[in-house]
């Protein structure tokens, strides 16, 4: 996708807090260091990049699955997921969605997207 989504919240997210949240949540793993790391999520036996850590958390998803995982992670740390154009992404009533002003786009049901796995978007 090449489009960055960033995790934003009022209180800065500390690496220790991120590590604590990720270690408590099944399906995620934090790799790397406090200076440069990544959060991966698993589908089957494979780990897939979800977000990068460099003092802040962000991701450049290439699939609905990655958007859904990033939205899950964002909710776990009590933050908002925001795109480069100011739109927000999240999970409402089990649906992964993008909201931009009064318009909303639904990616689909979270559980179905997660089960389908990280199929890349076609260009």
């Amino acid at each position: 996708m090449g489009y960055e989504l960033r995790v934003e919240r009022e209180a800065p997210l500390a690496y220790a807090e991120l590590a604590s949240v990720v270690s408590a949540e099944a399906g995620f793993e934090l790799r790397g260091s406090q200076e440069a790391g990544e959060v991966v999520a698993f589908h089957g036996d494979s780990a897939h990049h979800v977000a990068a850590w460099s003092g802040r958390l962000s991701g450049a998803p290439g699939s609905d699955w990655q958007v859904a995982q990033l939205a899950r992670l964002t909710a776990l740390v009590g933050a908002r997921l925001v795109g480069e154009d100011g739109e927000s992404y999240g999970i409402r009533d089990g649906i992964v969605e993008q909201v931009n002003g009064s318009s909303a786009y639904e990616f689909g049901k979270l559980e179905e997207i997660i089960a389908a796995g990280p199929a890349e978007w076609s260009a």
Side-chain angles (χ1 to χ4, degrees):
M1 178 172 164
Y3 189 80
E4 184 180 78
L5 304 180
R6 60 192 180 282
V7 176
E8 296 181 347
R9 65 182 209 172
E10 289 183 29
L13 179 63
Y15 182 82
E17 183 180 358
L18 176 62
S20 176
V21 167
V22 168
S23 69
E25 184 62 31
F28 286 115
E29 183 177 295
L30 181 59
R31 298 178 175 176
S33 69
Q34 186 168 344
E35 292 75 32
E38 72 172 337
V39 177
V40 297
F42 294 89
H43 187 263
D45 293 334
S46 300
H48 301 273
H49 177 84
V50 171
W53 170 264
S54 60
R56 68 181 188 95
L57 198 56
S58 64
S63 69
D64 288 356
W65 184 87
Q66 287 173 313
V67 171
Q69 293 289 14
L70 196 49
R72 282 184 57 226
L73 179 60
T74 300
L76 289 170
V77 298
R80 294 180 335 118
L81 185 58
V82 180
E84 293 176 5
D85 296 326
E87 75 282 11
S88 62
Y89 297 77
I91 303 166
R92 185 177 50 86
D93 299 328
I95 305 293
V96 179
E97 67 179 2
Q98 172 195 44
V99 177
N100 192 358
S102 61
S103 300
Y105 167 77
E106 294 183 351
F107 286 86
K109 292 181 179 180
L110 175 66
E111 62 190 40
E112 291 174 3
I113 294 170
I114 298 298
E120 294 292 317
W121 290 321
S122 57

